[in-house]
Amino acid sequence: MADTYYITTAINYPNGRPHIGHAYEAIAADVIARFQRMQGREVRFQTGTDEHGLKMARKAEEQGRSPRDLSDEMSGYFGQMDEVLDISFDRFIRTVEPEHHQASQAIWRAMEVAGDLYLDRYEGWYSVRDEAYYDESELVDSEGGARLSPQGTPVEWTVEESWFFRLSKYQDRLLELLNTPGFLEPESRRNEMIAFVSGGLRDLSVSRTSFDWGVPVPGSDGHVMYVWVDALTNYLTGLGYPENTPEFSKFWPANLHLVGKDIVRFHTVYWPAFLMSANLPLPQKVFGHGFILNRGQKESKSLGNVTDPMELAERFGVDNLRYFLMREVAFGQDGSYSPEAIVNRCNAELANSFGNLVQRSLSMIAKNMDGAIERYTPNGEDKALLSKVQDACRTALPREFEGLAFSQGIEVWMQAVWACNQYVDEQAPWALRKTDPERMKAVLLTLYIAIRDLALAIRPVVPVKADAVLDMLGVATDKRSYRDLADESWFDQLADAGHRISPPTPVFPRLELPEAEAA
C-alpha cells in the first residue's frame, strides 16, 4: 500500500449558496480522507471554489456588484459549510488566488509549447449554466421549442475569436485511458465516456473575449481562459505547480478526483488531454458519484425545494447527517433523502442499535463491576462474537471502503452491531449478576472489546460520536487507527493498569420530527 494519498473534490461553483449535493460530495471525500489516514497513509485533501466564468460575471451584474465581491461572499459560505460538516481538508483553494493564476498560465504555456493551441473563430452552442460547449447532435428540444443541453440547461449561439486546444489529437490516447481498469468508475460513467470519445472529438475552444472575469491568456490581450482550463488546474495549484515543490513530488498524480456525474466529461476527457499535452502524469482514478434527490426530486429554486445542508446538520446533528448519506445511498448511484428518512435510519441504527449497545453495556460495567476493566478468559460464545466483529471491522469494512462501497461497508458493520445486541439478549448479563457473577463479567468485557472495534471502524463516518465512545472506553487518542484494530494487547494493558470507566452518557440520542412533519 502506498504511503501517500491525494484526494480532491470538484471545486464548487459559488454562484449560489451550498445545497445538499455540495454537502454530499464534501462528506464523502472527508470519509475517504479520514479512512485513508486511519489506514496509515499521509493524506492530502483539497477542496475549494471555482469562481471565474460567464455565469459568475452575469450573476454579479444582475446584483449590481463586482464578480470579486460576489465570489468573496459566496466562497465564504462554502468554507462555512465545510467547517460545520467537520470536513478535514488540508487546502481550501480559491481560483482568484494569484498562485492559481500563475499555475493556470503555466499549464497554458506548456500546452502552447506542445503545439496544441491555435487561434481561430468559435461558432457554436454554449451553456452558461454548465460553462460547457455542446455539439448540435447533443442538443434536445424543450416543449417550448428552445434548444437545451443534455443536462436540460439553456444554450445560446456564440460567435467570437477563440484559442482552440487540439483535443482531437488525443482521441486514441484518451480511449486507451478510459479502457484502463480502475481509471473511471462506476462502470456506467466509463461506458458513457467511451461512447462520447469513440464518436469523434472536435478541437475545444479554450478562451473567451466576450467577458474578462477569468485568468488572462498569457500573451493574448483580451482573452481569458475557458473556465474549465482554469478550474481543472486547481488540482495542481494546491501542490505548488509549476514549481517542483515537496508537496507536488509527494502527492501528484492524484489518487482520486471525486466529482459529480454531470462533470465527468471535463475530468476524464478534457483534463487528461490537457495533462498529456503539458507532459504531466495523469490522475489514477476519477469517480463520478450520483445526485442526492429531495424526496425523489432534484432540488431546484423553481420547485422551491432547495435545502440548506447546514440547517439539516443543525437539526439532526452533523454525524447523523454524515451517517445517513453514506449509509442510505449506494455510492455512484442517485439517492433520495427526507427528514423522515434521516430520522428513521439514524434512530433504528445509531440510537436503537449501536447507541443502545454502548449505553447498556457500559452502564452495566460501571454499575455491576464498579467500572473495573480486568483480564478474563473468554469462552467459545465470546470468541465467536469477537471473531464476527473483528472480521467486519478489520477486514470487510476496510475492503468495502477502499473500493468506495460505503453503504456495503456500513451494512457489514451493522450486522456486527446486531450480532452484539443478540449476544446481549442471549447471555442476559443482568440475570447472570445473581447466578454467575464471573460469567457476567466475561460477557460485559467481551462487549467492551467489541464496542472498541465497532467505534474504531465507523470513525471515518461519525468521527465526533465515535471518539466520544472511545473516550468513554479509555482508548488513547493515539491508538485509534485501523492498524490499532489488530493490536490485541490494548485490553490487557488497560486491565493491568487498573483502568476503570465511569457511567456512560448517551452518545446517540433519538431524533424526533416536529408533529407537522410526522403526521
Side-chain angles (χ1 to χ4, degrees), residues 197-509:
V197 175
S198 298
L201 294 178
R202 300 172 62 183
D203 290 350
L204 181 67
S205 172
V206 289
S207 76
R208 306 296 303 272
T209 58
S210 55
F211 62 96
D212 61 2
W213 179 237
V215 178
V217 171
S220 190
D221 290 344
H223 286 256
V224 295
M225 293 182 195
Y226 172 42
V227 67
W228 276 103
V229 178
D230 153 20
L232 292 162
T233 304
N234 93 88
Y235 305 128
L236 302 174
T237 306
L239 300 177
Y241 177 84
E243 301 300 322
N244 188 24
T245 63
E247 291 79 13
F248 190 85
S249 299
K250 181 183 293 187
F251 292 108
W252 191 259
N255 295 80
L256 176 63
H257 290 323
L258 185 63
V259 303
K261 65 179 183 179
D262 54 335
I263 55 172
V264 165
R265 179 191 302 186
F266 304 101
H267 285 81
T268 60
V269 179
Y270 300 164
W271 181 226
F274 297 159
L275 292 169
M276 291 173 185
S277 176
N279 197 28
L280 291 168
L282 306 182
Q284 295 178 23
K285 181 189 289 292
V286 177
F287 191 97
H289 64 76
F291 293 143
I292 295 296
L293 308 175
N294 187 338
R295 301 181 187 273
Q297 287 185 311
K298 190 173 180 180
E299 292 195 343
S300 73
K301 293 178 182 177
S302 60
L303 292 174
N305 65 346
V306 177
T307 303
D308 182 347
M310 289 181 280
E311 290 182 3
L312 285 178
E314 181 178 359
R315 183 176 178 187
F316 299 115
V318 173
D319 276 10
N320 284 325
L321 180 61
R322 290 169 61 103
Y323 181 86
F324 173 82
L325 291 173
M326 293 298 95
R327 169 65 160 144
E328 187 78 5
V329 183
F331 203 57
Q333 299 178 20
D334 291 349
S336 189
Y337 80 97
S338 67
E340 298 90 341
I342 295 172
V343 167
N344 291 338
R345 175 70 75 178
C346 292
N347 280 349
E349 297 185 356
L350 291 182
N352 295 351
S353 295
F354 185 51
N356 187 45
L357 171 69
V358 172
Q359 187 67 18
R360 62 175 174 169
S361 299
L362 301 191
S363 293
M364 285 188 280
I365 292 174
K367 180 179 180 180
N368 300 317
M369 298 171 55
D370 198 23
I373 304 305
E374 54 192 65
R375 288 182 181 243
Y376 76 105
T377 301
N379 70 11
E381 291 172 303
D382 305 334
K383 291 178 181 178
L385 176 71
L386 291 178
S387 178
K388 182 176 182 63
V389 171
Q390 289 166 0
D391 285 347
C393 295
R394 304 180 188 186
T395 303
L397 182 146
R399 181 183 64 242
E400 298 293 352
F401 275 29
E402 189 72 48
L404 309 184
F406 305 113
S407 57
Q408 292 94 316
I410 297 173
E411 171 64 25
V412 172
W413 179 82
M414 272 309 308
Q415 289 176 4
V417 171
W418 291 326
C420 288
N421 280 310
Q422 182 179 357
Y423 169 87
V424 175
D425 293 340
E426 291 173 349
Q427 298 298 319
W430 51 86
L432 291 170
R433 181 172 62 88
K434 296 179 179 179
T435 61
D436 192 343
E438 287 306 307
R439 178 61 194 148
M440 176 202 70
K441 288 183 180 181
V443 170
L444 294 178
L445 292 170
T446 296
L447 291 168
Y448 176 87
I449 294 171
I451 289 168
R452 175 261 194 176
D453 280 16
L454 291 166
L456 270 181
I458 203 65
R459 191 167 173 249
V461 182
V462 288
V464 174
K465 298 291 190 180
D467 278 344
V469 173
L470 293 167
D471 288 344
M472 290 193 297
L473 296 176
V475 177
T477 56
D478 62 348
K479 298 292 184 182
R480 298 183 181 184
S481 74
Y482 282 110
R483 291 178 178 178
D484 294 315
L485 276 169
D487 178 12
E488 302 286 353
S489 67
W490 72 277
F491 177 82
D492 289 343
Q493 290 173 4
L494 285 177
D496 293 345
H499 179 69
R500 291 179 184 271
I501 65 170
S502 300
T505 55
V507 177
F508 297 101

